[in-house]
Structure formats: structure tokens, C-alpha cells
């Protein structure tokens, strides 16, 4: 190839130096966010759908927060009955002029990617999205004009052309909010929480010894371990079941909300699998309460058998932060680093008001853990689960009998049902599939 062809027809003396190229990139980035129309030429490609010239996109990293309650995770469903975060946020980007309707209908076209996927009802304090976005003036303010309540954009930064927030994310931090009475050993024998037990939950105050015991249980997850027992669909020999955790600890001191004591459990890891965090916390709580001995950790990581491990409710979980250490080290000298220390206070205030406080309210109003903790006694914590169908049946029989007794007290119409009928109804309930609302039906216990 000729030198003139390599330089698009210019002389070799006109080729900018490395320093000049860096200055040009900075000028281009400044112009992109200032809304200077002269900085953005339109490409020769045209949008067939609209018949208008297609504006040139620029790769950006978008930092946002959202309350995941009511959403079916950080994904695309394209179904109004099952709204997901990406569906709603994508329409906001269209309304703000950051992407077109055709871009929204085909996210792959703009290389749309999120740093972490969150499950149903799981929130995010610092989610990072990568995409190729059109030039708009004051993008943060413009996008925030269209987002719904419980969702906000904090920052938009230019990135390298091929930046992918999922691939470049070096580690993530997830946090889990739970009341301290989950660690109370005196509640371990209860198969349901009556009023006196609920009152004890409200007045319970955790000791330093229990917090130390929880930290000790969580320390078993630090390092590279085989977590095939803490997710679904992974076998012991599956290399992808190995995950690396850097820290796992309980916040201190505990904090109060409506006279109930809470703590936050935070885990910093490279990546996580489906249900992994909820199962890790569920087993740690069971060990601290005395449902199972800590020797179980010698088995769940090293044996091929699948163990019966409890999964804590999803309501307390949220994504706290995503780190891009490798990206910042490689490209930080030429591009903006993907870190936002100047926004720390702003994000923490938004997180407390729109995520943590909402989680605390839901936990108390719906009595999430009062209803869940008796389930810990049903699990076998072994590879033998043959007892579970019968125990489910017994539990359902007891519930139906109590309902019948209440009906008999208020009305004679409930006297027609018999225990045989109750048994048939219980068998039908046991075969039900899990519902989508994380309700504790028999097949999930």
C-alpha cells in the first residue's frame, strides 16, 4: 500500500504526533458533551427506516442507579406485562434523543451492555452501561428528564471505541440488608413466628460475639472456591463453577430502622452466578443460628454431590459498585478513568433514600424474614433430600387444618372438608412449579 493511501491522501509530515492525537481526542470529547454540532459529522450511512442521515455514535460509559422493585431484572423482555430495567431505560434514551427507535429495537446495533445483570426485584446503586450514543447537549440532565421515579443517571463518560462494561468489569460489590434477629439462636426451633416471637425480633440486639461468628462463617467463601452447590445447573467438574471472592463481611455497628436492628453484609468478588450470593448468606446464617454445624463447609466445596442449601430472600440484595481496574490501568492515561469519587456523597444519599430505605420498609411491612426463617429448619444441609416431600406435606396439612379450624369457628360451612381431601390438596400443591414472585411455595422450600 502506498504511503499516500495509508494517510488518506495527506503527506507524511501531516500525520499528527502521539501528543497531538491525545489533544485531538480530548477536543473531540469536550465537543461531544458540549453539544458542538461542528464536532460531529454525519456518516454516509443512512437510516433506511427514517430516510434521514444516520448520526455518528460515540462509545460511552453511563453510570446509573435504580430501584429494581417491580422490574424483572436488568435485562430485555420486550413485554409490558414483565417490565425489565433495560426496556424502560431504553425508551428513556429514545425520548432523550440519545438513541433511535431502531437502536432500541436492536441493542446489538449500538453495542448496549451492562456491567452486571441483576435479577428480579434487585436494585443497583452503581450500574455501568456501555453503548454507542448519539450527541446530545447535557446528556445527564436530558436523560434524567425522561427516567421514571426510582431511576437516575449520574454520569456519562467517553470510552475507547470497543469498550464493553461486562467484559472490562474487573470485580463487583453486592450488599445484602437483613435484620439482626436472623442471627438469634433462640429462634432456631420455631416452625412459625407467633406474636411473642415477633416481639422478640423487634427488641433483639445482636452481640459482638454473634457478629464475629457471622464474619467467621462468611470467611469460608473468601478465595477461589468451587461454588457448584451455590447455584443451579452447575456440576462439580464444571470449570465455570469456580469463582473468586476478595472479601465478605458484616457492617459494624448495626443500625436502627423503626426500632428494629439491621446490618448490611457486603461481598466483593470477581463475578457471581445465579443465586450464589443468596445461598452463601443463607448457609452462613444457618451455621450461626445452629441449624447446621460449620463442618458443612468442608463438604460443599469439595464433594461432587449436590447439597440442600437454603436461598435467602431476594428483597435485601442490591448491586453496590462495579470496578474497572484493568481498563483504568490500560487506558487511563488517554481516556477518563471509570471511577467517580466526586459523586460518592450524591450516590450514597440517593442509595439510602431510594434503595436501602425502601428495602427496609418492605422487610418490615411484609414480615419477610419472620415468614422465611422457619424454612431454615426444613432444609437437610446434605445430599439426602428424600425427607423433604413428606415434611412439606406435613407443613401444608398443618396450615390447612388451622384454616379449617378458623372457618369452623366463624361458620359451619367449613365442616364439610375431611383430612383425606386435605391430603389430596396437599399432594397437588407439592407438584406446583415455583411462581415468579419469590413466594415460598412448596417446590421452593
Amino acid at each position: 500500500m502506498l504511503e499516500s493511501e495509508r494517510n488518506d491522501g495527506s503527506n507524511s509530515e501531516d500525520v499528527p504526533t502521539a501528543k497531538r492525537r491525545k489533544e485531538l481526542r480530548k477536543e473531540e470529547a469536550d465537543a461531544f458533551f458540549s453539544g458542538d454540532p461542528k464536532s460531529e459529522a454525519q456518516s454516509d450511512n443512512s437510516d433506511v427506516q427514517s430516510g434521514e442521515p444516520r448520526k455518528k455514535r460515540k462509545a460511552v460509559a453511563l453510570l446509573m442507579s435504580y430501584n429494581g422493585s417491580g422490574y424483572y431484572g436488568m435485562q430485555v423482555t420486550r413485554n409490558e406485562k414483565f417490565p425489565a430495567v433495560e426496556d424502560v431505560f431504553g425508551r428513556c434514551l429514545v425520548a432523550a434523543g440519545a438513541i433511535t427507535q431502531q437502536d432500541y429495537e436492536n441493542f446489538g446495533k449500538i453495542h448496549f451492555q451492562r456491567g452486571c445483570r441483576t435479577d428480579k426485584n434487585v436494585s443497583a446503586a452503581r450500574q455501568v452501561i456501555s453503548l454507542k450514543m448519539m450527541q446530545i447537549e447535557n446528556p445527564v440532565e436530558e436523560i434524567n428528564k425522561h427516567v421514571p421515579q426510582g431511576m437516575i443517571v449520574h454520569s456519562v463518560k467517553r470510552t475507547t471505541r470497543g469498550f464493553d462494561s461486562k467484559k472490562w468489569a474487573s470485580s463487583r460489590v453486592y450488599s445484602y440488608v437483613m435484620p439482626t434477629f436472623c442471627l438469634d439462636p433462640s429462634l432456631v426451633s420455631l416452625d412459625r413466628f407467633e406474636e411473642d416471637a415477633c416481639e422478640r425480633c423487634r427488641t433483639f440486639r445482636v452481640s459482638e460475639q454473634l457478629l464475629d461468628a457471622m464474619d467467621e462463617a462468611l470467611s469460608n467463601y473468601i478465595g477461589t472456591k468451587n461454588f457448584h452447590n451455590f447455584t443451579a445447573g452447575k456440576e462439580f467438574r464444571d470449570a465455570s463453577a469456580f469463582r473468586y471472592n476478595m472479601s465478605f463481611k458484616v457492617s459494624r455497628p448495626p443500625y436502627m430502622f423503626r426500632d428494629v436492628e439491621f446490618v448490611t453484609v457486603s461481598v466483593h468478588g470477581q463475578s457471581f452466578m445465579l443465586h450464589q450470593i443468596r445461598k452463601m448468606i443463607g448457609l452462613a446464617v444457618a451455621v450461626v443460628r445452629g441449624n447446621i454445624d460449620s463442618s458443612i463447609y468442608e463438604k460443599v466445596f469439595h464433594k461432587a454431590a449436590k447439597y440442600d442449601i437454603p436461598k435467602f430472600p431476594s428483597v435485601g440484595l442490591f448491586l453496590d459498585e462495579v470496578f474497572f481496574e484493568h481498563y483504568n490501568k490500560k487506558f487511563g492515561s488517554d481516556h477518563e478513568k471509570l471511577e467517580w469519587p466526586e459523586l460518592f456523597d450524591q450516590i450514597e444519599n440517593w442509595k439510602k433514600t431510594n434503595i436501602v430505605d425502601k428495602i427496609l420498609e418492605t422487610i418490615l411491612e411484609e414480615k419477610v424474614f419472620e415468614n422465611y426463617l422457619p424454612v431454615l429448619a426444613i432444609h437437610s444441609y446434605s445430599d439426602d433430600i428424600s425427607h423433604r416431600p413428606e415434611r412439606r406435606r406435613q407443613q401444608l396439612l398443618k396450615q390447612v387444618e388451622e384454616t379449617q379450624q378458623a372457618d369452623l369457628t366463624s361458620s359451619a360451612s367449613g365442616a364439610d372438608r375431611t383430612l383425606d381431601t386435605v391430603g389430596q390438596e396437599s399432594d397437588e400443591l407439592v407438584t406446583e412449579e415455583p411462581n415468579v414472585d419469590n413466594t415460598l411455595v412448596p417446590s421452593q422450600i
Side-chain angles (χ1 to χ4, degrees):
M1 182 181 292
L2 297 176
E3 185 70 23
S4 59
E5 292 176 337
R6 287 199 298 267
N7 292 324
D8 298 325
S10 62
N11 295 326
S12 59
E13 291 84 359
D14 297 331
V15 178
T17 63
K19 182 178 180 180
R20 179 55 182 159
R21 287 197 299 269
K22 183 176 179 180
E23 292 173 351
L24 289 172
R25 280 195 295 267
K26 186 177 185 304
E27 291 172 3
E28 187 181 32
D30 292 341
F32 176 78
F33 288 108
S34 66
D36 182 4
K38 296 180 181 179
S39 67
E40 287 292 327
Q42 294 178 340
S43 69
D44 294 333
N45 297 328
S46 61
D47 194 320
V48 178
Q49 298 280 348
S50 62
E52 297 180 357
R54 176 180 169 86
K55 292 183 178 180
K56 192 174 181 180
R57 271 76 167 159
K58 292 295 182 181
V60 300
L62 188 151
L63 177 67
M64 68 176 298
S65 303
Y66 58 85
N67 186 310
S69 178
Y71 293 111
Y72 284 76
M74 185 69 181
Q75 60 177 328
V76 178
T77 62
R78 308 294 190 201
N79 190 328
E80 293 183 359
K81 293 182 179 179
F82 305 102
V85 176
E86 290 183 16
D87 291 321
V88 174
F89 188 64
R91 291 195 290 269
C92 297
L93 292 176
V94 174
I99 64 174
T100 66
Q101 180 64 29
Q102 290 73 33
D103 295 335
Y104 169 70
E105 294 171 359
N106 182 8
F107 272 160
K109 187 177 179 181
I110 55 173
H111 300 216
F112 188 101
Q113 186 60 271
R114 68 290 213 198
C116 302
R117 176 176 172 175
T118 53
D119 296 331
K120 181 186 174 184
N121 293 327
V122 176
S123 303
R126 296 173 181 86
Q127 175 71 275
V128 178
I129 294 175
S130 58
L131 75 156
K132 292 192 173 181
M133 193 176 79
M134 293 188 296
Q135 171 192 335
I136 57 174
E137 188 174 355
N138 300 321
V140 173
E141 293 80 1
E142 188 62 31
I143 296 172
N144 282 333
K145 291 178 183 178
H146 303 278
V147 297
Q149 186 176 5
M151 190 178 292
I152 187 173
V153 174
H154 299 288
S155 173
V156 178
K157 288 187 177 184
R158 279 289 308 278
T159 64
T160 57
R161 185 182 302 176
F163 175 70
D164 183 308
S165 59
K166 181 179 179 181
K167 293 179 180 178
W168 278 104
S170 54
S171 61
R172 292 98 170 156
V173 174
Y174 279 84
S175 295
Y176 193 96
V177 177
M178 68 177 188
T180 57
F181 65 74
C182 291
L183 305 177
D184 187 358
S186 68
L187 302 175
V188 70
S189 61
L190 298 181
D191 57 359
R192 65 181 304 168
F193 278 51
E194 303 293 349
E195 183 57 34
D196 57 340
C198 292
E199 179 60 27
R200 176 171 174 76
C201 292
R202 287 189 289 270
T203 59
F204 178 79
R205 300 295 178 260
V206 71
S207 64
E208 283 295 319
Q209 290 77 12
L210 280 177
L211 292 178
D212 289 340
M214 185 64 175
D215 278 334
E216 183 178 356
L218 295 174
S219 68
N220 288 282
Y221 303 116
I222 297 176
T224 302
K225 302 288 180 72
N226 188 332
F227 287 96
H228 75 287
N229 269 312
F230 294 84
T231 188
K234 297 287 184 182
E235 299 298 330
F236 179 70
R237 297 184 181 276
D238 193 336
S240 65
F242 282 86
R243 300 294 160 121
Y244 173 61
N245 294 326
M246 299 162 225
S247 67
F248 212 155
K249 57 186 178 181
V250 181
S251 64
R252 301 188 193 214
Y255 52 93
M256 304 295 296
F257 185 83
R258 295 184 183 175
D259 298 326
V260 177
E261 190 178 59
F262 286 85
V263 290
T264 300
V265 181
S266 297
V267 55
H268 185 187
Q270 205 169 50
S271 60
F272 301 95
M273 297 178 288
L274 179 67
H275 304 323
Q276 180 186 340
I277 298 173
R278 292 163 60 192
K279 280 180 171 283
M280 289 191 295
I281 296 175
L283 183 58
V285 170
V287 168
V288 173
R289 297 175 82 235
N291 292 100
I292 186 64
D293 187 79
S294 60
S295 61
I296 189 174
Y297 285 116
E298 301 172 4
K299 306 171 186 176
V300 292
F301 296 122
H302 306 293
K303 291 192 175 182
K306 276 287 187 179
Y307 277 73
D308 181 25
I309 295 176
K311 179 175 61 181
F312 246 39
S314 64
V315 65
L317 184 65
F318 65 92
L319 170 66
D320 208 339
E321 193 164 3
V322 187
F323 294 96
F324 298 91
E325 295 172 355
H326 301 314
Y327 175 88
N328 292 337
K329 184 177 181 180
K330 186 171 184 178
F331 301 109
S333 59
D334 293 335
H335 293 77
E336 291 184 276
K337 291 186 177 181
L338 298 184
E339 51 190 22
W340 297 267
E342 71 281 1
L343 297 176
F344 180 82
D345 291 338
Q346 172 187 322
I347 295 174
E348 287 295 305
N349 290 335
W350 195 95
K351 178 179 77 173
K352 182 182 184 304
T353 304
N354 295 275
I355 297 179
V356 177
D357 286 356
K358 300 294 184 184
I359 290 175
L360 296 174
E361 290 172 2
T362 302
I363 289 174
L364 296 181
E365 291 172 4
E366 299 182 7
K367 296 186 176 180
V368 173
F369 289 95
E370 289 92 332
N371 295 326
Y372 174 79
L373 288 176
V375 174
L376 294 177
I378 298 176
H379 288 270
S380 67
Y381 304 93
S382 71
D383 57 353
D384 179 15
I385 60 172
S386 59
H387 67 289
R388 291 176 65 189
E390 180 58 29
R391 292 187 70 167
R392 291 195 198 107
R393 176 185 170 85
Q394 292 175 0
Q395 186 182 44
L396 288 167
L397 281 169
K398 182 177 180 181
Q399 292 175 357
V400 176
E401 287 173 1
E402 290 175 350
T403 302
Q404 281 185 319
Q405 187 62 38
D407 291 342
L408 287 171
T409 303
S410 59
S411 172
S413 61
D416 297 332
R417 303 180 69 186
T418 64
L419 276 176
D420 290 337
T421 304
V422 173
Q424 293 172 3
E425 292 176 353
S426 301
D427 287 335
E428 292 173 0
L429 284 171
V430 169
T431 61
E432 289 181 358
E433 292 296 324
N435 61 14
V436 296
D437 295 324
N438 293 327
T439 307
L440 286 177
V441 296
S443 57
Q444 293 174 286
I445 298 176

